[in-house]
Amino acid sequence: VQLQASGGGLVQAGGSLRLSCAASEPTFRSSVMAWFRQAPGKEREFVASISSSGTGTSHANSLKGRFTISRDNAKNTVYLQMNSLKPEDTASYYCAAMRGFYTASEFVDYWGRGTQVTVSS
């Protein structure tokens, strides 16, 4: 499975971005999908995950209320809507296909390439 993330860019604090992650195969539809992020000098951290059907989601506590994960299985795509962005949200964002509804990166089966999000103050 190839995962292609897009939608990153430069945005001012308080702004919004929507990231997309397109999967190359329909088998994506049976996978739990997730977003992680990694800021310079920091470890990669969990952002959000979504069940294969889209009915179950999990978001990092620190991001609840600002970030929302969703998916469209007909388009083989998962999204991350990011609102009220802060400079500390600056990071490379990675989508991932996971082997279960976990938050740890050790349970990732496939990584997509990162998309850079930069939030200016």
Side-chain angles (χ1 to χ4, degrees):
V1 176
Q2 291 188 340
L3 304 173
Q4 182 64 51
S6 60
L10 175 63
V11 63
Q12 288 189 333
S16 297
L17 282 175
R18 188 176 80 155
L19 305 183
S20 299
C21 175
S24 61
E25 299 178 8
T27 51
F28 144 94
R29 299 173 188 173
S30 63
S31 297
V32 173
M33 297 298 295
W35 288 96
F36 289 79
R37 70 182 183 181
Q38 187 167 20
K42 295 187 177 182
E43 292 187 354
R44 192 168 296 188
E45 64 174 352
F46 171 80
V47 173
S49 61
I50 187 166
S51 64
S52 57
S53 66
T55 57
T57 62
S58 176
H59 296 79
N61 287 336
S62 61
L63 301 176
K64 285 181 180 178
R66 295 196 300 122
F67 287 20
T68 304
I69 191 171
S70 62
R71 68 191 296 164
D72 185 339
N73 284 344
K75 296 181 179 180
N76 291 345
T77 301
V78 62
Y79 304 98
L80 184 68
Q81 178 68 43
M82 306 185 295
N83 299 327
S84 303
L85 283 162
K86 304 175 182 180
E88 51 263 43
D89 294 319
T90 295
S92 289
Y93 284 72
Y94 299 86
C95 63
M98 304 191 72
R99 69 190 70 138
F101 211 56
Y102 303 106
T103 62
S105 59
E106 64 209 62
F107 296 103
V108 171
D109 285 333
Y110 300 98
W111 287 104
R113 290 188 176 182
T115 184
Q116 178 67 33
V117 172
T118 302
V119 184
S120 63
S121 58

